[in-house]
Amino acid sequence: MLTVSQVLLTVHDHDEALGFYRDLLGFAVTQDVSYEGMRWVTVTPPDQPSLHVVLETPQSWPDASPADREAGAELLAKGLMSRLILTTDDVDALFDRLSAAGVEVQSEPVDQAYGVRDFGVRDPSGNQLRFNQPLTARP
């Protein structure tokens, strides 16, 4: 067996990220640990508890030089650092909920030639998130 257990998502502020992933998307916080000046925060999607998303800041990258951390922070500010694709069973309802909450929308729901209906948003750190629903799963 070989599975993905953790993915790393760069954010500029842990608490702001928790407001998005925990409070808005319903992710569960599985770890929130401070250690030697760093903070280790992991969240799991509500319907996929085996996948841990590590929310990390550029300042917490081990072995990175100050210049590397600064470069990472600049890429993050431009929305070029991380991307995440999530699947839902009702893409239109989720879009309505996120839009009503004031989330920055990049694209509205559309049927794609590659077999999904999807839309895009940015999290508070600028990360690009896409939410999709397989067209075969739609009523």
Side-chain angles (χ1 to χ4, degrees):
M1 180 171 90
L2 183 63
T3 63
V4 175
S5 62
Q6 297 182 348
V7 295
L8 305 172
L9 187 65
T10 305
V11 299
H12 63 74
D13 181 272
H14 287 112
D15 292 321
E16 192 174 47
L18 285 174
F20 183 81
Y21 290 96
R22 179 195 57 210
D23 301 339
L24 192 55
L25 294 180
F27 282 44
V29 178
T30 53
Q31 290 186 313
D32 189 348
V33 180
S34 295
Y35 177 72
E36 294 187 357
M38 296 189 311
R39 186 174 174 192
W40 180 263
V41 179
T42 62
V43 294
T44 61
D47 298 311
Q48 192 179 16
S50 63
L51 178 63
H52 297 261
V53 178
V54 179
L55 304 174
E56 66 171 3
T57 63
Q59 293 73 32
S60 65
W61 293 344
D63 304 321
S65 70
D68 289 341
R69 290 184 176 122
E70 181 62 30
E74 290 175 10
L75 289 173
L76 179 61
K78 294 178 182 177
L80 300 173
M81 183 57 74
S82 305
R83 296 185 186 124
L84 199 59
I85 300 173
L86 300 110
T87 298
T88 181
D89 58 358
D90 192 339
V91 74
D92 292 298
L94 182 58
F95 175 79
D96 291 343
R97 188 163 58 89
L98 295 180
S99 297
V103 172
E104 180 184 345
V105 173
Q106 287 190 294
S107 62
E108 295 188 5
V110 62
D111 292 349
Q112 301 288 358
Y114 43 88
V116 298
R117 180 171 178 78
D118 72 351
F119 68 92
V121 301
R122 289 186 187 269
D123 74 5
S125 294
N127 294 305
Q128 299 177 35
L129 304 178
R130 294 208 67 83
F131 296 90
N132 70 40
Q133 178 180 9
L135 289 173
T136 56
R138 293 178 53 83

